[in-house]
């Protein structure tokens, strides 16, 4: 005698995605086929209700590019009652100072024990964003400020990567200088005692100089990517580097 027991089988429980849009307001960069513990992920939380799809897409493109250029995972770290892997950014589109002045600002927040950020904030001026997006330049602004959230410029002094800051500041990181075309150390712009960008008169259209301009094509050099390596990130080798097509 053969007895069969039939078990009621319902639909498989849906798994919460860890990459892409994980909620209506939150996007996480990275390859969905790669474990988050094996890559660098950026979570973007779009705050407020005035975001347009094109403006959000600029953030997504920049975050996905960063996940390609930073190739090493960082240990998950606690922030605001949850574990962050690897960086969370609160993005705001809000009034800053009206049209044509400060276009946006990116800052890091809480840091890991090694100094690299767990959290950050990006604020883009709502008076400037639509115009810059209309000339395909909002991506450039977002990418620029996202580098600052990662610590570009802001963490240099803390990491001991600036020489002669008071008079003629230069960047001393060996990886970035190996990619620098000159023999001297990379010159840094000094404004009001702070040194957060590559020097404008030397690098001009490099994305991480002091000014992102709308009348020239900006360039993201491997020197800038390598500077993240000097800060402690694991970055893509120069032989594999391809500049982002949207810059």
């Amino acid at each position: 005698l053969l007895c069969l027991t039939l078990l009621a089988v319902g639909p498989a429980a849906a798994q919460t995605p860890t990459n892409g849009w994980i909620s209506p307001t939150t996007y996480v960069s990275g390859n969905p086929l790669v474990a988050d513990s094996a890559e660098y992920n950026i979570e973007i939380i779009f705050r407020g209700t005035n975001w347009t799809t094109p403006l959000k897409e600029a953030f997504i493109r920049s975050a996905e590019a960063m996940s390609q250029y930073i190739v090493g995972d960082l240990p998950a770290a606690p922030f605001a009652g949850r574990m962050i892997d690897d960086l969370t950014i609160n993005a705001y589109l809000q009034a800053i100072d009206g049209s044509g002045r400060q276009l946006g600002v990116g800052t890091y927040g809480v840091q890991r024990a090694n100094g690299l950020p767990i959290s950050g904030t990006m604020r883009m001026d709502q008076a400037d964003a639509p115009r810059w997006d209309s000339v395909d330049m909002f991506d450039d602004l977002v990418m620029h400020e996202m580098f600052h959230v990662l610590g570009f410029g802001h963490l240099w002094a803390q990491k001991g990567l600036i020489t002669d800051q008071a008079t003629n500041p230069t960047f001393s990181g060996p990886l970035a200088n190996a990619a620098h075309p000159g023999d001297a150390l990379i010159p840094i712009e000094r404004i009001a005692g702070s040194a957060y960008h590559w020097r404008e008169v030397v690098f001009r259209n490099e994305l991480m100089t002091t000014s992102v301009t709308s009348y020239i094509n900006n360039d993201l050099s491997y020197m800038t990517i390598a500077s993240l390596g000097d800060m402690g990130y694991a970055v893509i080798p120069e032989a594999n580097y391809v500049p982002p097509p949207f810059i």
Side-chain angles (χ1 to χ4, degrees):
L1 179 62
L2 180 63
C3 296
L4 298 177
T5 301
L6 299 179
L7 301 178
V9 179
Q15 292 187 339
T16 302
T18 58
N19 300 100
W21 286 103
I22 63 171
S23 82
T25 59
T26 303
Y27 185 93
V28 178
S29 67
N31 185 342
L33 301 179
V34 176
D36 288 350
S37 60
E39 65 175 356
Y40 188 83
N41 306 101
I42 298 177
E43 175 189 74
I44 304 169
I45 304 174
F46 293 96
R47 302 295 187 181
T49 60
N50 55 343
W51 289 99
T52 65
T53 297
L55 296 183
K56 289 180 180 178
E57 288 175 346
F59 276 78
I60 291 169
R61 284 190 289 271
S62 293
E64 292 290 0
M66 293 297 193
S67 287
Q68 294 179 28
Y69 299 147
I70 300 174
V71 296
D73 181 67
L74 296 176
F79 174 73
R82 61 194 181 98
M83 298 300 289
I84 302 300
D85 182 23
D86 294 277
L87 174 68
T88 183
I89 299 175
N90 284 300
Y92 296 87
L93 184 64
Q94 59 187 197
I96 295 181
D97 58 3
S99 179
R101 301 181 67 185
Q102 187 174 28
L103 307 174
V105 59
T107 57
Y108 68 86
V110 177
Q111 296 169 266
R112 290 174 169 81
N114 65 1
L116 298 182
I118 304 168
S119 67
T121 302
M122 292 177 64
R123 304 180 188 276
M124 310 306 290
D125 198 323
Q126 64 187 20
D128 293 299
R131 180 176 67 84
W132 282 73
D133 185 56
S134 70
V135 293
D136 295 326
M137 294 290 289
F138 188 66
D139 308 81
D140 300 49
L141 302 180
V142 170
M143 192 77 165
H144 179 102
E145 299 303 337
M146 197 170 289
F147 266 101
H148 285 315
V149 175
L150 289 168
F152 182 97
H154 297 303
L155 288 179
W156 287 348
Q158 186 181 130
K159 292 281 188 177
L161 294 170
I162 301 179
T163 61
D164 198 12
Q165 181 168 345
T167 55
N168 181 34
T170 55
F171 184 83
S172 60
L175 298 178
N177 275 282
H180 175 225
D183 294 329
L185 293 178
I186 302 169
I188 300 172
E189 193 78 46
R190 182 176 181 272
I191 299 177
S194 298
Y196 296 149
H197 299 90
W198 303 139
R199 196 169 299 176
E200 183 76 33
V201 297
V202 176
F203 297 106
R204 303 194 62 81
N205 68 326
E206 219 289 338
L207 185 70
M208 296 311 296
T209 58
T210 54
S211 299
V212 179
T213 53
S214 60
Y215 55 85
I216 59 173
N217 290 325
N218 293 296
D219 172 61
L220 179 61
S221 68
Y222 183 74
M223 177 183 73
T224 294
I225 303 299
S227 74
L228 297 180
D230 289 316
M231 290 166 49
Y233 294 97
V235 298
I236 192 171
E238 186 170 11
N240 296 344
Y241 174 63
V242 177
F246 53 86
I247 296 298

